[in-house]
């Protein structure tokens, strides 16, 4: 009656289900037919009883058969739609990716009235250059062609402007609709299943799931207060022969730290020695507080090892959906070609706005206002940490960007603190969201770009109360003595 | 010396290469060392000689060894970077996807001065609502928060407005940054390797490469002047048990045809009978020329079988990067969740603009101007086809959208015609770009939304001259007699 193919990739129960379904729908097994008992059919087909049970269960789930007490499994016949009411709804249920419980926890805190969020990854609205964007939209839309499709690799004047700023040629620049798309395309084009990549740990890149489906092995590289730890990298590269190394060297997310010039030089040397591509993710570079930009890895790169990514999302606005890759022409060409199958183009309108933003000097003006505003918030947060945090809590001092990384004394963990902080109405992102390990478990990413200046002090005070409460509980329980305290860098 | 693992997924030659490289770089095999001759090493390791040859070749390609006449293969030692000049550039070369030669051919024609393009997939710039968009940008940017990130599933007032227009609830609407992204996410979330999908043939969906990497089997379903051919679909569904069927039922791309009401009803019945999801792609629906919209499949769908996709790209502007999915809540939820790993969000700014566009009645105004403008161009093209095309050429009459599908008499093919048309300075997209088969090979997609009205007549006249020339050549060569002529619908 049924014929199963053991060499097929389709599971046996699916084969059995499919063949039975076909016969039921075709009328070969008319309504009322009793299917063979599970044990009998299993014996006859030489399969496990579970195989038959699963096949019958699938048929029952679709309303094709029904188990009747004393009658076994009976064919119900093909359902005939008879007007709207009689139609069975499509059973769309399937594996839904669960919402990351941590994200749900954070959102629950943020939604409460009076909550203060250090958990965001964006700026507070008044820091966006809304007037300038409105002005430029107006100007650019004088030409209705701005509402059409643009060229695949991006608007040439914008590519040229970015190339000029980076000291390269326009054929080394590719414009995309976001830096996650850039990371995704780099992975898709340059990596193959079985390849190894080195990725900073902790890093927000670990949250993107970019390497999950690519069959790529991810080897973590530690980061400390001076950025990516370069000692030991020679051995890692020898041992794993990675294709690419992913790093966010300037105002790291989540650590806020910046790779030192010495380490930058050594990293480039190692890349050249082992022929490893460096993916330099640089969304925060323009947001420096020291008066001068940190030289990019790309600017130190003599051999085309660095694939540089930046975007408008952190320094201007995420609403522009604009990012760019700066890399050796073969990389740019391979990525541009790969895009044929999915439209990852940035909107032409937004590219024209960005181009005018650069050309008219409005970006410089905007950054001239933005940097001191962010620095003020960082300083407020550092002062508050210094004032309110109990002994044993330490933090890195970022020279730019959005985040301060704060470390709890053993044995506290950031997850435990989040629950406690929620009671105080203050949220942050626990470090283990960004990677595994002790450092991540005890770390907090505190964002200072989103809260209003007057919220920062009170928010840190609330957080400090939560830390103190946990420390007291630990002391009662006999926890270890805390030791380090204050800023580390 | 070397130890190969035959159970490893890494090819033997890669293992050998990796071990040799490690020893060279670590100094265990110092510069000047002679590697064993290929045959000797192959015998010693019990592998094919090719394995050793390939491993040595890889080492040589990286400059680690060198074949010297009379000396075999000699270690060159690790390259030490000595300043910028001495660094070897990163060898990024790898498989680059070649530009589709057809696209290159079409672009070559379009770039010539005086060329007329019927090959575009967009509107001519003056048809975009640039003034309205500029006005709304201005208005929306009064609130700088419009430049921030928006919610994952989309701006609620826009979801609600779309839901109201479709007669569903807002939890059935998901906003995305483009309909290709919608198609990609639907495939990723609802399909698994080994699944089968039914796809119209010809269809622009075949050009997207969406199913290439998913390990999904694509079974073509023919389309005629009444849309997707529903006869035979019952058998196809029985035989292949597809998960999804992809269709563009209204003003099809490339055929311009519209699925009849009777076929729509039967398609929904078949979906319910076989529990197959229908992906209804509807970018052109608002662009009807008959005074009333064609009811969507979604509106006929009693059981949640239809996943409806539409976008702002064809009816408003592709620069907004806005599309939406309307589907049963479990589908919406599964797709929204799947997006965690890659940011496919539409820009909040553009969602607010679109929401105001709908709310203030500007979309209705825009469409009120756009529909007659497009209809005028279609009519000009139909008149020109009637006037200039020789006997044997036939076409479908579209009741909306962007395209007229034109068929050549045997034995002409659209590819041959494109070369000939290029000499006349006129471009179109040959049908085989959209799928295989006789129908596709003899078909032309003629776009009437991009050329200016005054270009349409002269462009078709040029095209007709090219057809006539080919027909004369065929007649001399003794081709068949052409038979059909004039519009089909």
């Amino acid at each position: 009656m049924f014929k199963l193919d053991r060499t097929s990739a389709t599971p046996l129960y699916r084969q059995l289900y499919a063949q039975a379904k076909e016969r039921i729908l075709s009328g070969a097994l008319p309504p009322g037919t009793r299917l063979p008992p599970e044990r009998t059919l299993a014996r006859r087909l030489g399969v496990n009883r579970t195989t038959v049970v699963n096949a019958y269960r699938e048929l029952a789930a679709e309303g094709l058969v029904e188990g009747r007490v004393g009658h076994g499994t009976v064919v119900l016949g093909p359902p005939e739609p008879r007007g709207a009411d009689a139609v069975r709804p499509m059973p769309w249920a399937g594996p839904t990716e669960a919402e990351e419980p941590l994200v749900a926890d954070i959102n629950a805190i943020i939604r409460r009235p009076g909550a203060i969020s250090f958990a965001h990854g964006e700026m507070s609205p008044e820091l966006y250059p809304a007037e300038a964007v409105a002005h430029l939209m107006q100007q650019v839309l004088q030409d209705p062609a701005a509402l059409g499709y643009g060229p695949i690799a991006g608007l040439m004047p914008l590519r040229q402007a970015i190339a000029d700023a980076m000291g390269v040629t326009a054929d080394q620049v590719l414009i995309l609709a976001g830096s996650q798309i850039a990371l995704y395309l780099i992975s898709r084009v340059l990596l193959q299943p079985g390849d190894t990549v080195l990725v900073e740990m902790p890093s927000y890149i670990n949250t993107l799931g970019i390497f999950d489906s690519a069959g790529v092995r991810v080897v973590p590289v530690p980061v400390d207060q001076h950025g990516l730890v370069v000692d030991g990298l020679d051995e890692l590269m020898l041992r794993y022969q990675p294709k690419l190394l992913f790093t966010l060297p300037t105002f790291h997310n989540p650590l806020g730290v910046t790779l030192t010039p010495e380490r930058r030089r050594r990293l480039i040397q190692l890349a050249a020695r082992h022929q490893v591509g460096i993916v330099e993710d640089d969304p925060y570079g323009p947001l420096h507080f020291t008066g001068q930009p940190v030289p990019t890895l790309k600017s130190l790169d003599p051999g085309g090892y660095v694939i540089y990514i930046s975007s408008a999302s952190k320094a201007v606005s995420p609403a522009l959906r604009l990012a760019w890759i700066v890399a050796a022409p073969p990389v740019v060409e391979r990525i541009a070609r790969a895009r044929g199958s999915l439209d990852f183009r940035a909107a032409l309108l937004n590219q024209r706005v960005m181009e005018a933003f650069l050309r008219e000097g409005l970006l410089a003006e905007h950054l001239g206002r933005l940097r001191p505003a962010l620095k003020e918030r960082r300083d407020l947060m550092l002062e508050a940490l210094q004032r309110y945090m109990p002994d044993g809590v330490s933090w890195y001092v970022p020279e730019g960007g959005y985040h301060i990384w704060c470390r709890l004394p053993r044995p506290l963990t950031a997850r435990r603190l989040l629950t406690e902080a929620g009671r105080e109405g203050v949220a942050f992102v626990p470090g283990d969201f960004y990677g595994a390990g002790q450092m991540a478990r005890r770390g907090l990413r505190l964002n200072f770009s989103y809260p209003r200046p007057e919220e920062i002090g009170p928010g840190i005070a609330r957080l400090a109360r939560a830390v103190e409460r946990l420390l007291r509980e630990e002391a009662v329980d006999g926890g270890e003595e805390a030791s380090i305290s204050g800023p580390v860098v």
Side-chain angles (χ1 to χ4, degrees), chain A:
Chain A
M1 178 174 177
F2 300 109
K3 210 167 167 183
L4 305 186
D5 174 6
R6 272 151 219 284
T7 67
S8 160
T10 309
L12 293 174
Y13 86 94
R14 285 292 299 182
Q15 294 184 38
L16 180 55
Y17 149 82
Q19 290 175 28
K21 180 178 175 181
E22 180 167 348
R23 278 164 217 208
I24 291 168
L25 292 178
S26 69
L29 289 173
T33 308
R34 272 182 63 184
L35 292 184
E38 288 150 359
R39 275 179 207 289
T40 314
L41 184 56
R43 212 177 320 118
R44 210 184 296 161
L45 294 170
V47 298
N48 208 303
R49 186 174 154 250
T50 324
T51 303
V52 182
V53 170
N54 284 336
Y56 283 12
R57 196 172 285 156
E58 294 264 311
L59 293 168
E62 295 198 11
L64 295 169
V65 303
E66 191 178 65
R68 290 185 191 154
V69 179
H71 284 83
T73 304
V74 178
V75 173
L76 292 177
E80 283 297 334
R82 289 165 306 245
D85 294 339
V87 171
R88 288 168 301 147
M90 179 74 173
W92 282 116
T96 303
E97 292 171 37
E99 185 178 15
E100 167 69 48
L102 174 59
V103 174
D105 288 352
I106 292 171
N107 284 336
I109 297 173
I110 291 173
R111 272 195 294 268
R112 282 180 220 159
I116 294 174
S117 170
F118 300 134
H120 274 68
E122 59 189 299
M123 300 192 283
S124 57
E126 75 276 12
L127 297 180
Y128 291 122
E131 264 182 56
V133 172
H135 159 71
L136 294 172
M137 283 280 178
Q138 206 74 359
Q139 179 181 311
V140 161
L141 282 165
Q142 298 288 316
D143 174 12
L147 287 172
Y149 288 101
I152 283 281
L155 181 71
M156 190 42 94
L158 180 57
R159 293 173 71 190
Q160 189 62 57
I162 291 167
D164 292 347
M166 299 282 296
V168 300
T169 49
D171 63 342
Q172 296 179 58
V173 179
L174 180 70
I175 318 275
L176 297 161
S179 58
Q180 291 192 23
I181 285 171
L183 289 166
Y184 166 78
L185 288 173
I186 287 167
S187 306
R188 207 184 98 187
V189 169
L190 300 179
L191 298 177
Q192 292 183 317
D195 282 346
T196 298
V197 296
L198 301 179
V199 179
E200 290 176 329
M201 182 75 71
S203 165
Y204 91 101
I205 289 174
N206 296 309
T207 69
L208 302 181
I210 284 172
F211 309 116
D212 291 357
S213 56
V216 165
R217 176 160 65 165
V218 176
V219 173
V221 185
V223 189
D224 65 17
Q225 68 264 44
H226 304 300
L228 181 89
V229 176
V230 175
D231 284 341
L233 209 49
D234 197 36
E235 288 69 29
L236 277 184
M237 287 182 173
L238 254 182
R239 181 158 165 209
Y240 292 106
Q241 306 206 20
K243 283 278 175 64
L244 297 172
L245 178 149
F246 288 78
T247 179
L248 198 164
T250 306
F251 320 136
H252 187 269
N253 181 7
L255 295 180
V257 299
T258 294
L259 193 64
T260 61
E262 168 57 17
R263 286 194 183 178
R264 285 178 193 241
R265 274 191 298 275
R266 285 174 59 202
L267 180 56
I268 294 289
Q269 281 171 4
L270 287 167
R273 179 182 183 125
H274 295 279
Q275 303 275 295
V276 174
I278 305 286
V279 179
E280 177 182 25
D281 190 9
D282 188 30
Y284 304 105
L287 305 177
H288 52 81
F289 305 154
T290 55
Q292 54 184 20
V294 180
T296 61
L297 285 169
K298 185 78 200 154
S299 70
L300 303 172
D301 168 25
Y305 293 94
V306 177
I307 300 174
Y308 177 88
I309 304 172
S310 190
S311 87
S313 294
K314 302 301 181 184
V316 183
S317 156
L320 293 177
R321 313 300 309 128
L322 275 180
W324 44 93
I325 290 176
V326 182
V331 176
V332 166
E333 194 187 356
R334 285 172 69 188
I335 294 174
R337 288 280 170 77
R339 294 159 70 213
S341 61
L342 244 189
D343 194 353
F344 286 134
R345 267 182 282 197
L348 180 60
L349 176 64
N350 299 354
Q351 294 185 70
R352 292 220 177 146
V353 165
M354 189 68 191
E355 191 273 327
F357 202 64
L358 290 164
R359 181 166 32 79
E360 301 196 357
L362 293 171
L363 177 63
E365 252 178 51
H366 161 67
L367 291 174
R369 276 191 307 272
L370 181 57
R371 288 176 190 131
L374 288 174
K375 181 172 186 295
E376 183 206 350
R377 291 172 198 218
R378 179 206 59 173
D379 290 343
L380 286 170
M381 188 173 273
L382 289 174
E383 283 162 29
L385 287 167
Q386 193 69 267
R387 178 174 322 156
Y388 298 114
M389 278 296 167
D391 278 1
V393 178
S394 63
W395 51 89
Y396 294 144
V397 176
E399 298 297 341
Y402 279 9
H403 311 111
I404 290 176
W405 179 261
C406 201
R407 288 188 302 181
L408 299 174
R410 288 169 204 276
L412 301 196
T413 67
R415 289 268 175 161
R416 255 182 87 193
L417 180 61
L418 184 65
T419 311
E420 207 58 35
R423 295 198 184 106
E424 297 281 346
V426 60
F428 60 87
V429 185
D432 60 322
F433 188 62
Y434 304 101
Q438 261 299 317
M439 180 180 191
R441 270 201 299 283
R442 289 166 53 209
L444 288 59
R445 189 190 81 167
L446 299 176
N447 166 282
F448 53 80
S449 65
Y450 186 79
R452 292 191 307 277
E454 64 273 21
E455 290 179 323
I456 292 177
I460 295 295
R462 293 181 191 182
L463 190 60
R465 275 202 298 277
V467 174
E468 275 166 351
R469 208 151 52 228
L470 287 186
L471 284 174
R472 274 198 303 276
E473 284 173 20
E474 277 305 321
V476 172
D477 300 351
E480 299 170 36
E481 193 56 43
S483 54
I484 328 157
S485 136
V488 167
V489 180

